[in-house]
Amino acid sequence: MRFQNTVLFFLLLLILSVNAQQMEEYTHPWEGKIENSKIFNFTVAIKNLQSGDATFKISNNQSIIDYRFKTNANGQINIPFAENLLFEGTVAPNKKEINGFIKSGLLLYHLKLRKVKNDSFVGIWNILMVDEQKSQKFFLSIENGSGNDYEAYPVFGDNRFTGTWCSNFKKQNSHIAFNDVKTGLLFKGELLNNKIQLGIFLGSHLISEINLTKSTIDWKIGGFNTDNKKSILQLVEMESLISKDSLLNTHGVLISRNGKLIYEKYFDGYNENIPHDMRSASKSISSAIVGIAKDQLLFKNVDQSIFAFLPAKYQTHKDSLKAKIDIQSLLTMSSGLDAIDYGVNANPKSPAVEDNYQMAEDMTTAILSATMINRPNTNANYGSANPYLLGVAMDSLVSEPLEIFIDRNLFQKLDISNYIIQSDLNGRPYFGGGMYLTSRDMLKFGELYLSKGKWNSQRILSKKWIESSFENYRVLENTKDKNGYGYLWWHHTYKVNGKSIKSIEARGAGGQYIFVIPTLKTVVVITSGNYRNGKTQQPETIFEKYILPFVPN
């Protein structure tokens, strides 16, 4: 009996000691090492598609997921292969490839699975967006620890991955768990004496396990070299300034002239295979999707009210003024709603709905609930709420998932397959920005507009839509330069050797630019990483001072 009591006593001590672990003890920077540089580069395979009893497989250096699913005869594939993870796609008419998306977190990763043998289709899924981790270092910042409360933020040594957005922090005894809202990755850790054992999961499937110890020195992140190909055009001064960090965080510069690539350089470890976060530059792609829908007669005119496309539950927000919010007003940032990005204005006059609606449970309600500060189609103020409503409208018009419509009608025709679409909280493609395209594919998109809607002699967008998109409708009143604005395209004029050169531009935070210069038959793409240092518009300086003087007139 005494022995049993002793055992129970020590078991109680052990339980109390585990429960007594307080997160204050672990509020610290931690670091470890990923087991290999391609652990997050997955091979995705669909096998035995025609048998009616097919398999969906995900693997890296080991099998991660092996999921059986039933097929149907219409060529549509929908595979819920793990909790909150889904593959949807379509078999090409020639039966040689499958185009589709893995829905993981807020991201829709496009995959092209090519037929390799018999009835097998294979493709690659780079969940961290890079083709290989150049650094195997992994860091974890545990912050604001108090009792069982904490926050945890994973940081990869390869900063070409744009980072995690973690939430849902939980703790039970010695175990912690949280997830990355963006990629859908799940993190589970065990708190041990002076270390943390952290597992990274796809649903319930383990990808990698990392042993973390407390960091004793500052983290070293990024700083990678790029092997560049030779270009026809030489921009020596620009390259020198980039290498000296005088043109900070420039990731890529590409130039095409008369449809031919004449300059292509990458920096900080970037290359032609890495999709770059376009931020709001992909608003211009959203404009193209509206144009395709219009060309296909899915709606009649751009002067149709947005309420013609909204479900019944949103009709309660309609009044005599809001009823005048039409497709064109949304395309030109002139809905009149107080859903403005005051971040581009040094002296905001009122709180920005822009800062609040994006995390609302129902973004559409949050936007439509905003007050009207102008009549539609009169005053333009830049923000993301207007194009968001366009996405809701387009989703109501198409008979298939909107991302499939986008892929089939735009990206497949441009031979673009290595890309990612950010979704909203409902899983719908977010028209306010956030696509990831490679710099070469951004250049293709600019070329499509330069060539008035044709690509390789194929008509993708009508000439009329391109011309309407490039019109200068009105000034963006909440921008420093008071830029003119088209259908989600910026206008700007540059001075070079005493001449004025007009440019039509897709622009995104951090310095993501597609410059289309019709008079020079030139497209320029610049990607950057200046998200929080006030250098978002640095590409304009690069373009005006170091590129335009060397582009032949």
Side-chain angles (χ1 to χ4, degrees):
M1 187 68 178
R2 181 178 293 178
F3 175 77
Q4 288 177 330
N5 288 338
T6 303
V7 170
L8 288 171
F9 174 76
F10 280 111
L11 283 173
L12 181 61
L13 280 179
L14 178 61
I15 292 170
L16 287 172
S17 66
V18 169
N19 285 329
Q21 286 179 316
Q22 303 295 301
M23 290 310 298
E24 295 97 319
E25 303 172 35
Y26 294 88
T27 300
H28 199 278
W30 301 80
E31 63 182 270
K33 190 176 181 181
I34 298 167
E35 55 190 278
N36 73 61
S37 62
K38 288 200 169 186
I39 200 74
F40 296 102
N41 302 100
F42 306 127
T43 298
V44 177
I46 292 178
K47 298 185 176 182
N48 304 319
L49 187 62
Q50 303 302 320
S51 70
D53 189 18
T55 58
F56 179 83
K57 297 175 179 284
I58 295 179
S59 60
N60 45 25
N61 59 339
Q62 60 183 351
S63 177
I64 299 172
I65 290 173
D66 191 337
Y67 182 85
R68 292 185 178 275
F69 68 98
K70 297 293 183 182
T71 61
N72 54 49
N74 64 5
Q76 303 293 317
I77 300 171
N78 194 284
I79 309 169
F81 59 88
E83 184 179 2
N84 298 320
L85 295 165
L86 172 72
F87 176 83
E88 61 175 5
T90 56
V91 181
N94 62 13
K95 310 293 185 185
K96 292 183 179 180
E97 64 185 38
I98 298 170
N99 284 282
F101 294 86
I102 286 183
K103 292 188 172 185
S104 184
L106 287 178
L107 300 180
L108 304 170
Y109 296 86
H110 181 265
L111 271 66
K112 178 178 281 190
L113 309 181
R114 293 183 171 88
K115 194 168 187 178
V116 291
K117 60 180 179 179
N118 299 327
D119 200 17
S120 296
F121 297 82
V122 177
I124 300 297
W125 176 24
N126 296 328
I127 193 169
L128 298 188
M129 306 163 196
V130 297
D131 44 8
E132 182 175 7
Q133 293 279 297
K134 286 203 169 189
S135 170
Q136 291 174 238
K137 285 283 190 179
F138 178 90
F139 306 99
L140 181 68
S141 177
I142 295 185
E143 302 172 10
N144 302 320
S146 176
N148 287 334
D149 297 328
Y150 69 98
E151 295 172 11
Y153 301 102
V155 178
F156 291 82
D158 189 335
N159 64 335
R160 299 174 303 166
F161 168 57
T162 54
T164 57
W165 302 345
C166 288
S167 66
N168 198 25
F169 306 106
K170 296 178 180 178
K171 178 179 181 293
Q172 184 175 19
N173 298 331
S174 64
H175 293 88
I176 59 173
F178 51 94
N179 65 285
D180 176 24
V181 174
K182 185 164 70 174
T183 63
L185 289 172
L186 177 64
F187 298 83
K188 295 180 182 180
E190 184 176 6
L191 306 176
L192 303 170
N193 187 24
N194 289 320
K195 67 177 182 178
I196 299 174
Q197 190 170 6
L198 187 72
I200 306 177
F201 294 78
L202 269 179
S204 60
H205 305 272
L206 180 67
I207 300 171
S208 182
E209 205 164 44
I210 305 169
N211 291 314
L212 302 173
T213 57
K214 288 184 178 181
S215 298
T216 57
I217 57 176
D218 291 339
W219 294 349
K220 184 178 179 182
I221 300 170
F224 310 121
N225 294 322
T226 300
D227 295 326
N228 274 307
K229 300 173 183 177
K230 290 184 178 180
S231 296
I232 298 171
L233 188 65
Q234 299 300 311
L235 301 174
V236 177
E237 185 178 6
M238 181 196 74
E239 292 175 20
S240 175
L241 290 170
I242 292 173
S243 67
K244 295 175 182 176
D245 283 340
S246 296
L247 295 172
L248 195 65
N249 298 324
T250 300
H251 294 161
V253 179
L254 282 74
I255 305 169
S256 67
R257 168 82 167 154
N258 294 317
K260 294 183 179 180
L261 184 64
I262 63 171
Y263 183 87
E264 181 180 24
K265 294 285 183 179
Y266 299 95
F267 310 90
D268 284 352
Y270 282 81
N271 61 48
E272 67 271 21
N273 299 315
I274 298 176
H276 201 284
D277 187 352
M278 293 177 67
R279 300 291 176 102
S280 287
S282 65
K283 284 181 170 71
S284 301
I285 296 177
S286 300
S287 175
I289 302 308
V290 178
I292 289 169
K294 173 66 171 61
D295 291 342
Q296 294 185 8
L297 305 179
L298 297 184
F299 68 96
K300 293 179 182 178
N301 298 299
V302 294
D303 59 3
Q304 286 183 266
S305 170
I306 183 62
F307 287 94
F309 309 102
L310 297 180
K313 68 176 181 177
Y314 298 119
Q315 300 298 323
T316 57
H317 299 283
K318 182 179 179 181
D319 58 32
S320 59
L321 188 55
K322 287 183 178 178
K324 298 182 186 300
I325 299 172
D326 57 18
I327 297 296
Q328 186 171 66
S329 71
L330 297 173
L331 286 165
T332 56
M333 297 291 180
S334 53
S335 66
L337 287 163
D338 187 14
I340 299 169
D341 181 2
Y342 285 107
V344 298
N345 192 337
N347 298 299
K349 297 178 180 178
S350 62
V353 175
E354 172 95 5
D355 296 336
N356 301 320
Y357 82 85
Q358 292 183 352
M359 297 311 295
E361 185 175 345
D362 188 330
M363 294 168 66
T364 307
T365 293
I367 294 169
L368 294 175
S369 298
T371 57
M372 295 291 288
I373 56 175
N374 297 300
R375 290 182 62 81
N377 287 306
T378 56
N379 301 72
N381 284 282
Y382 183 80
S384 294
N386 288 289
Y388 171 78
L389 290 178
L390 287 172
V392 177
M394 295 306 105
D395 190 50
S396 74
L397 292 173
V398 301
S399 59
E400 58 193 331
L402 183 54
E403 60 271 16
I404 298 292
F405 178 85
I406 293 169
D407 182 59
R408 185 168 54 83
N409 289 284
L410 179 64
F411 290 134
Q412 284 189 38
K413 292 181 179 181
L414 290 173
D415 194 24
I416 293 174
S417 61
N418 181 17
Y419 71 94
I420 302 158
I421 299 175
Q422 183 180 318
S423 69
D424 61 22
L425 298 179
N426 295 314
R428 179 196 301 117
Y430 178 57
F431 270 40
M435 284 190 183
Y436 296 72
L437 263 66
T438 68
S439 294
R440 284 186 177 182
D441 290 340
M442 290 170 69
L443 197 73
K444 282 184 185 179
F445 181 70
E447 287 283 354
L448 173 67
Y449 272 72
L450 184 66
S451 62
K452 302 291 181 68
K454 281 189 173 183
W455 179 258
N456 288 339
S457 301
Q458 180 186 16
R459 174 65 64 186
I460 297 177
L461 273 164
S462 66
K463 182 179 178 181
K464 183 178 179 181
W465 183 262
I466 301 295
E467 291 171 346
S468 297
S469 298
F470 277 5
E471 277 191 43
N472 189 344
Y473 291 91
R474 51 190 60 90
V475 166
L476 292 172
E477 296 178 3
N478 63 332
T479 60
K480 183 181 72 171
D481 296 329
K482 299 295 185 283
N483 300 83
Y485 205 65
Y487 283 178
L488 304 182
W489 285 90
W490 296 70
H491 285 249
H492 198 59
T493 301
Y494 298 88
K495 296 286 187 180
V496 179
N497 300 324
K499 295 182 180 179
S500 295
I501 297 177
K502 292 184 178 181
S503 174
I504 318 294
E505 300 166 5
R507 294 185 179 186
Q512 327 313 325
Y513 278 65
I514 303 173
F515 302 85
V516 180
I517 314 97
T519 56
L520 299 180
K521 298 180 181 178
T522 295
V523 178
V524 175
V525 166
I526 299 177
T527 54
S528 323
N530 292 309
Y531 300 109
R532 298 176 185 87
N533 59 7
K535 294 183 179 294
T536 280
Q537 292 180 260
Q538 178 177 269
E540 295 170 43
T541 301
I542 295 173
F543 180 67
E544 185 171 50
K545 290 187 176 181
Y546 307 111
I547 294 177
L548 276 180
F550 300 96
V551 174
N553 291 318

